Amino acid sequence: MEVLVFEDYDAASAQAARLVETQVLENGQSVLGLATGSTPLGLYKALIEGFKTRGVSYKNVRTINLDEYIGLAKDHPESYHTFMSKRLFKHIDISLENTYIPDGMTHSPEEECQRYEAVIDNVGPMDLQILGIGTNGHIGFNEPGTDPTSLTHVVELVHSTRASNSRFFPSLDEVPTHAVTTGIQSIFKSRKIILLASGKNKAAAVAQLLSKEISADFPASFLWNHPDVTLIVDKDAYALVQTEGQ
Ligand code: F6R
């Protein structure tokens, strides 16, 4: 795992955007694995900027998102469909039929998981996967205890994840209890992975990750077993990492 530490969130986001743009410029038909949440917002802003000012085109790029809440319609203000549309897709020249996000309104979540894993296999694998990290070490919605061989599956969100995401909903009660998420093994199909973390509230998670202890109790730690992961953090998120000599 390569670790890149930047002064602040904007600098970290700019570096992530450089890596994504390099991928897209090298291969205009790249498959990007995308995440939602607060962390990649700066990256997406920088990519929109790159599209508008430097002409980086996403015309033939395909995207595969990590997850979606069960029970939220695509046009629900807090669905990940809405998030991706508002934060990235409608600002760049990507074709919406080239963007994949699990269907949260499926009548059969289990079938949806199988369908989505087939999307990863048929459209993917992801050339470059963007990940954020939960304070409990989740990646995607792979909460502590997730099996490293997991494919796309239905997950019951743990209280801390729902509480954290309740900032986007009128109340905690309205945060969905379940989601469809790509699994650890689905994520591992990616050729390259960029894990982003920013801010003091991620400092303990980043320190735990960089302790290199691999355990299902902290799903992001499985990333130590992937051959091409770059961790991009700002100084606040890196603050609790014990460096040699300290
Ligand atoms: C989002 C996702 C989650 C988030 C994580 C961090 O698609 O899969 O794993 O990356 O919950 O969320 P933020 O960035 O809001 O702190």
Side-chain angles (χ1 to χ4, degrees):
M1 186 178 301
E2 187 181 8
V3 183
L4 304 177
V5 185
F6 290 86
E7 190 58 38
D8 57 24
Y9 176 67
D10 287 347
S13 300
Q15 175 60 20
R18 271 192 291 275
L19 295 177
V20 173
E21 289 184 351
T22 300
Q23 173 65 46
V24 169
L25 292 170
E26 269 173 23
N27 175 8
Q29 300 189 2
S30 291
V31 180
L32 302 177
L34 298 180
T36 57
S38 302
T39 312
L41 288 175
L43 160 64
Y44 296 155
K45 230 173 122 188
L47 294 181
I48 293 166
E49 182 75 11
F51 164 70
K52 290 190 173 154
T53 63
R54 294 188 298 283
V56 180
S57 172
Y58 297 84
K59 224 175 164 60
N60 298 310
V61 165
R62 284 148 303 158
T63 64
I64 300 180
N65 262 76
L66 284 168
D67 40 25
E68 178 59 287
Y69 291 117
I70 291 180
L72 296 195
K74 287 181 185 172
D75 62 355
H76 185 284
E78 295 310 332
S79 77
Y80 288 164
H81 280 80
T82 300
F83 177 100
M84 289 311 302
S85 164
K86 264 179 38 186
R87 301 302 191 165
L88 183 63
F89 296 157
K90 74 173 186 187
H91 305 286
I92 58 176
D93 63 344
I94 197 160
S95 302
L96 282 186
E97 66 261 29
N98 287 343
T99 65
Y100 299 87
I101 304 176
D103 178 5
M105 290 300 276
T106 169
H107 65 280
S108 167
E110 299 304 334
E111 273 173 32
E112 175 59 9
C113 292
Q114 286 179 21
R115 185 196 70 83
Y116 203 69
E117 195 65 34
V119 166
I120 293 173
D121 290 335
N122 298 330
V123 176
M126 293 67 78
D127 293 298
L128 183 56
Q129 172 71 56
I130 304 298
L131 294 177
I133 183 170
T135 50
N136 64 359
H138 73 221
I139 49 174
F141 274 136
N142 293 287
E143 302 284 20
T146 306
D147 195 290
T149 63
S150 54
L151 297 172
T152 303
H153 60 285
V154 173
V155 65
E156 179 170 4
L157 302 175
V158 301
H159 177 76
S160 64
T161 299
R162 292 185 65 238
S164 165
N165 290 3
S166 67
R167 66 195 193 276
F168 302 115
F169 289 82
S171 72
L172 177 61
D173 285 348
E174 289 177 53
V175 184
T177 54
H178 290 77
V180 169
T181 183
T182 56
I184 303 286
Q185 198 180 313
S186 325
I187 292 171
F188 263 60
K189 292 176 181 175
S190 314
R191 296 198 171 99
K192 288 183 226 161
I193 295 175
I194 294 177
L195 175 61
L196 300 172
S198 135
K200 289 200 172 88
N201 70 326
K202 296 293 169 68
V206 169
Q208 173 69 35
L209 174 68
L210 294 182
S211 75
K212 298 191 184 170
E213 187 191 318
I214 300 173
S215 156
D217 293 341
F218 194 80
S221 66
F222 289 128
L223 294 172
W224 284 105
N225 291 330
H226 188 282
D228 194 339
V229 179
T230 304
L231 171 66
I232 298 181
V233 291
D234 60 15
K235 275 192 170 163
D236 283 346
Y238 195 71
L240 296 178
V241 175
Q242 302 288 330
T243 47
E244 268 169 54
Q246 277 188 340

